[in-house]
Amino acid sequence: MNILVEILREAQQLYLFKEKEIVPGLDPRLWHGSFNGRESTLQQLSPYVGKMKSGMARVLIALYSRPGDTVLDPFAGSGVVPLEAALSGRCAWANDLSPYAYVLTRGKLEAPEIERVAIQRAKSLLDAVKRESPSVDINVAPEWVREFFHPDTLHEVLSAFQILRQREDYFLTACLLGILHHVRPGFLSYPASHLVPYLRKTKYPPEKFPKMYGYRDLSSRLLEKVKRAYRRHTLPPHWNERRYEVWQTNSMNLPMGDETVDAIISSPPYFGALDYARDNRLRLWFLGCEYWKELDASLTANNKVYLSQMSICLQEMFRVLKPGSHCILVLGDVERDDKTRLTAEILADLAIKVTQRQFEVETILDDRIPDERRSRRRTGTTKFERILVMRKQ
Ligand SMILES: C[S@@+](CC[C@H](N)C(=O)[O-])C[C@H]1O[C@@H](n2cnc3c(N)ncnc32)[C@H](O)[C@@H]1O
């Protein structure tokens, strides 16, 4: 079935026609509500700060591309857009400078077509971990990393990452990253928060909660994680023929040729609002990125470089896009000192300027985010999202 028809039907069931009837178009009601219980569980492999709503990605893909088209996300993060693109029969191209984003995006796109195959792969990994983990030296991990794990668990985790790197198994690496830290028993660390790695020793002191500080075996947790990934992962019949490409480079220098992309759908970094590397420092460490501060410094987020770097990125996006095609940017606006930065308007003006008016702004849509969807509530957080739609003439 045409995905737009499917999306409309879902939205209409949700609203039961109480409101004005929805017509296909850029209507926020099409991606209203939580998608946790509706999206492919592959979208939930591992958390990511600033993740796009999968329902919104699905609508944008349906509206601005056709099956078989190449859809590029140059700031792919956790790979929400590329996975939705692949699921709806598009060729998914993804790029992100962060190694965590790269692994997570590849992990989603390289998920085996059925659970049985994924479980077999996990069992083969766990056999190898059993053989090899006793000889792993956990002292290669700095103290701040060791603090999160029981030593026996850390032996297994380090060994698993090593083997997965050799096997180039991105799907299982993403699963492992997804169970690295949390307070729940199905995770590998001592009690810690899930999104950003903070130990929660004050709330769960070891004397009061000794069980939470015991050995946590990798085997049962990884197998359960793989099963969760397939709980709602109905893959389309074309999944085996899916086409995708994932890069880990700076979007100021995109690796694809001129006019090769049918649609760009992306949520670029916001004006100094998030620290992507800092927030993912524990996962990044296991991926071999020890210096998260350096990574944060090279990402486009810092206020001082934001506009100059984004203007180069916009030129690159313009270069790779086919004439007549759309570039859709989902941007968060930040309120600080009662002032709202109009990032969408600022980037729209910049895009017009750097492309000598060859990027035409079709619309800027406001989509306010209800409080419960925000990951952080301190001052300076994103208050609402705007969707900037541009067309290359
Ligand atoms: C808002 S997040 C994208 C979230 C993504 N849409 C998702 O659903 O998970 C922005 C991403 O841009 C990446 N990024 C920032 N500056 C970059 C640059 N210059 N080149 C490539 N990626 C960059 C960050 O690593 C981050 O993952």
Side-chain angles (χ1 to χ4, degrees), residues 136-143 145-146 154 158 162 285 290:
V136 166
D137 176 14
I138 59 168
N139 291 317
V140 295
E143 205 183 326
V145 172
R146 277 185 277 136
L154 188 55
L158 278 169
Q162 247 173 41
W285 186 85
E290 291 181 35

Side-chain angles (χ1 to χ4, degrees), residues 194-214:
H194 190 31
L195 196 59
V196 179
Y198 289 112
L199 277 169
R200 311 205 52 194
K201 280 196 170 159
T202 316
K203 187 158 184 206
Y204 303 101
E207 325 74 76
K208 264 196 174 172
F209 301 90
K211 265 195 175 162
M212 290 177 110
Y213 294 84

Side-chain angles (χ1 to χ4, degrees), residues 115-274:
E115 183 184 322
R116 189 173 41 82
V117 176
I119 292 284
Q120 262 169 13
R121 247 155 71 176
K123 285 186 174 160
S124 147
L125 165 75
L126 293 164
D127 285 345
V129 167
K130 213 185 236 167
R131 284 193 305 273
E132 293 175 28
S133 69
S135 58
V136 166
D137 176 14
I138 59 168
N139 291 317
V140 295
E143 205 183 326
W144 73 268
V145 172
R146 277 185 277 136
E147 259 177 18
F148 278 84
F149 303 93
H150 186 282
D152 296 344
T153 306
L154 188 55
H155 267 279
E156 296 181 357
V157 173
L158 278 169
S159 163
F161 273 108
Q162 247 173 41
I163 298 164
L164 289 171
R165 199 170 310 134
Q166 286 155 10
R167 295 187 181 182
E168 296 188 43
D169 188 330
Y170 289 90
F171 169 70
L172 285 180
T173 309
C175 288
L176 185 53
L177 290 167
I179 54 168
L180 208 53
H181 53 89
H182 204 327
V183 284
R184 294 196 190 146
F187 290 73
L188 294 158
S189 72
Y190 294 148
S193 39
H194 190 31
L195 196 59
V196 179
Y198 289 112
L199 277 169
R200 311 205 52 194
K201 280 196 170 159
T202 316
K203 187 158 184 206
Y204 303 101
E207 325 74 76
K208 264 196 174 172
F209 301 90
K211 265 195 175 162
M212 290 177 110
Y213 294 84
Y215 160 65
R216 296 176 181 225
D217 80 283
L218 170 68
S219 174
S220 64
R221 288 172 176 83
L222 186 66
L223 291 171
E224 281 308 310
K225 173 69 188 175
V226 172
K227 284 184 197 153
R228 287 202 295 279
Y230 283 85
R231 204 174 41 206
R232 207 179 33 262
H233 178 42
T234 34
L235 288 167
H238 53 69
W239 185 248
N240 269 345
E241 287 101 57
R242 68 198 180 279
R243 288 178 302 130
Y244 66 89
E245 194 88 51
V246 188
W247 294 273
Q248 189 195 328
T249 182
N250 198 313
S251 283
M252 290 195 283
N253 189 9
L254 288 173
M256 60 284 308
D258 297 357
E259 302 186 355
T260 48
V261 171
D262 296 291
I264 292 177
I265 299 171
S266 192
S267 52
Y270 312 155
F271 254 129
L274 299 166

Side-chain angles (χ1 to χ4, degrees), residues 332-372:
D333 258 327
V334 180
E335 250 166 33
R336 212 172 266 150
D337 310 326
D338 287 335
K339 271 191 232 134
T340 306
R341 277 220 181 85
L342 299 173
T343 315
E345 278 80 357
I346 295 170
L347 290 192
D349 285 347
L350 201 59
I352 293 169
K353 196 173 125 204
V354 296
T355 63
Q356 284 145 12
R357 302 196 164 270
Q358 289 193 72
F359 248 153
E360 184 183 86
V361 176
E362 281 193 354
T363 185
I364 297 178
L365 180 96
D366 245 319
D367 182 22
R368 295 196 172 256
I369 310 170
D371 263 7
E372 71 271 14

Side-chain angles (χ1 to χ4, degrees), residues 48 50-52 75-78 80 96-97 249-251 267 269 276 300:
Y48 205 86
K51 192 171 162 185
M52 194 193 285
F75 304 97
S78 62
V80 171
D96 200 294
L97 194 50
T249 182
N250 198 313
S251 283
S267 52
Y276 300 101
T300 305

